[in-house]
Amino acid sequence: GTASFSVGAIGSGLSYQWQVHTSAGYVKLASFSPYSGATSPTLIITNATTALNGNQYRCVVSGSCAPSVISGSATLGVTNTSQWTGAVSTDWSNPNNWGCGVVPTATTNVLIQAGVPRMPLVDIPNAICDSLTISLGTSLGFVGGGNVLELKGSAFNSGSFDASNGKVVFSGTGQQLMPGGTYQELFLTNYGDKEMSGNIVVTDSLNLENGMLVVGDNTLYIGDAATIWGGSSNSFILTNGLGAVAEQNVGIGGKVGPVYIPIGALRSSYTPMSIDNSAGTADTFKVCVYDGVYR
C-alpha cells in the first residue's frame, strides 16, 4: 500500500530533507519511486513492498535564521498479510473487500477471520495468494464456473473450504499443506510436496504435473466421474502412511477399461498401477503401496 510520514516545524525559510537509515547510517532520499516529497514536510512511499519493512525514516529541517534540527525517527511496517473484510460483497476480486484495499497477489498471505458481514467467494479465473488461513467459523467457496484459486503456500482450514465448484492449483516450490474437502479440479504443479491434511474428494479431475501428492493417513477419493491426468516419476501419489487412494465407480456402468493410478510408497520408487473391472459390477477400489515384500 501507500504510506506517508509528516513532520511539523515553525520558522522562516524552512527546507526539508528526508533520510532513511542504511548500513552506512542515515542517507538522503530523493523523489524517485517509491518515494515522493523527499524535500517537503510529507514523505510519501507508494506501493511499499515487504522489502521496506522495518526501514527507519527521519527529516532534517533547516531554516534561514536557525541551525538544522533533526526529527525523531519513524519505522515503516509492511505486512504481506491481507485480511478479508467482506465490506461490500462476497467477491474475491473486489479490492474494497480486503483490509489493504488491494486484491491479493502471489506474495500475499490471506487471512479470513470471523465477525465479518460476508464470506469470500472466488469469482475470477486468476485468484492467487501465498498462504491461506480460514479461521474457525468462517468459509471460502467458489461462485460461477471456470474460476481458479492458485496457492503458492499452504492452506490452513479451521472453518469450511468448499472447492466443489472450482479449480485449485497448488504451485509452491516447497512443502504445502492441502486442506481436506471436495475439489472439482485439483492441479499440482512446481516441485515440492503437497501434503493432505484431511480426506479429499475430487469430482472432475486430478492433474499431476509436478510435485508429490502426499496422502499420509488420509484418503484421496477419485469420484464417480473423475479422472487422473499426468503422473510421472516427478509427480505421483505418495502413500506413505495409513491412507490410500479410493477409485470410485470402477466397473460396468462406471469407469470401464484400465483405470490408471500413478502411485508409489517412496519418492524414489514410482510404481504406477491400473485397475480393470470391465466385466464386474461398479465398485470402489482402495489402493496403496507399502515399502517391502510380503508373503
Side-chain angles (χ1 to χ4, degrees):
T2 298
S4 64
F5 294 111
S6 295
V7 63
I10 298 174
S12 60
L14 297 180
S15 63
Y16 303 84
Q17 178 59 64
W18 285 91
Q19 300 176 332
V20 63
H21 191 268
T22 69
S23 58
Y26 277 96
V27 298
K28 292 181 179 180
L29 285 174
S31 294
F32 295 109
S33 180
Y35 301 110
S36 59
T39 56
S40 74
T42 299
L43 174 70
I44 299 174
I45 308 169
T46 304
N47 295 330
T49 67
T50 53
L52 302 181
N53 182 53
N55 274 7
Q56 289 185 313
Y57 300 89
R58 71 183 188 184
C59 187
V60 179
V61 184
S62 303
S64 58
C65 300
S68 299
V69 293
I70 302 174
S71 74
S73 63
T75 303
L76 175 66
V78 184
T79 176
N80 64 347
T81 297
S82 185
Q83 186 168 322
W84 170 263
T85 66
V88 296
S89 68
T90 61
D91 294 341
W92 177 289
S93 63
N94 192 326
N96 295 319
N97 286 320
W98 296 97
C100 292
V102 179
V103 176
T105 67
T107 60
T108 305
N109 297 317
V110 167
L111 174 62
I112 303 171
Q113 287 190 315
V116 298
R118 304 168 187 85
M119 289 294 132
L121 296 174
V122 177
D123 62 318
I124 51 176
N126 57 347
I128 191 171
C129 66
D130 191 355
S131 69
L132 169 67
T133 301
I134 305 170
S135 303
L136 185 67
T138 70
S139 65
L140 174 64
F142 288 72
V143 64
N147 292 321
V148 180
L149 173 61
E150 181 177 352
L151 292 165
K152 293 291 186 181
S154 292
F156 308 94
N157 178 33
S158 298
S160 173
F161 178 65
D162 183 7
S164 60
N165 189 36
K167 178 178 179 179
V168 181
V169 178
F170 286 87
S171 61
T173 56
Q175 182 188 58
Q176 290 184 269
L177 295 179
M178 306 167 55
T182 301
Y183 296 74
Q184 182 180 31
E185 296 181 64
L186 181 57
F187 194 101
L188 273 61
T189 185
N190 224 329
Y191 296 97
D193 289 349
K194 282 63 171 161
E195 299 189 6
M196 293 169 51
S197 57
N199 294 339
I200 285 179
V201 179
V202 178
T203 61
D204 182 85
S205 60
L206 168 63
N207 194 311
L208 300 170
E209 182 179 85
N210 268 314
M212 301 297 173
L213 199 168
V214 183
V215 172
D217 295 334
N218 307 292
T219 301
L220 172 64
Y221 293 91
I222 308 301
D224 288 358
T227 304
I228 299 177
W229 298 96
S232 68
S233 58
N234 293 322
S235 184
F236 58 87
I237 303 166
L238 187 63
T239 57
N240 62 336
L242 301 176
V245 181
E247 273 283 0
Q248 298 179 314
N249 198 32
V250 179
I252 296 175
K255 303 172 188 175
V256 296
V259 176
Y260 170 66
I261 307 174
I263 198 170
L266 303 169
R267 290 168 181 80
S268 58
S269 176
Y270 175 45
T271 51
M273 65 171 295
S274 61
I275 299 174
D276 191 341
N277 189 35
S278 300
T281 302
D283 206 345
T284 296
F285 293 84
K286 281 189 175 182
V287 299
C288 58
V289 183
Y290 293 104
D291 180 29
V293 177
Y294 298 87
R295 292 183 179 276

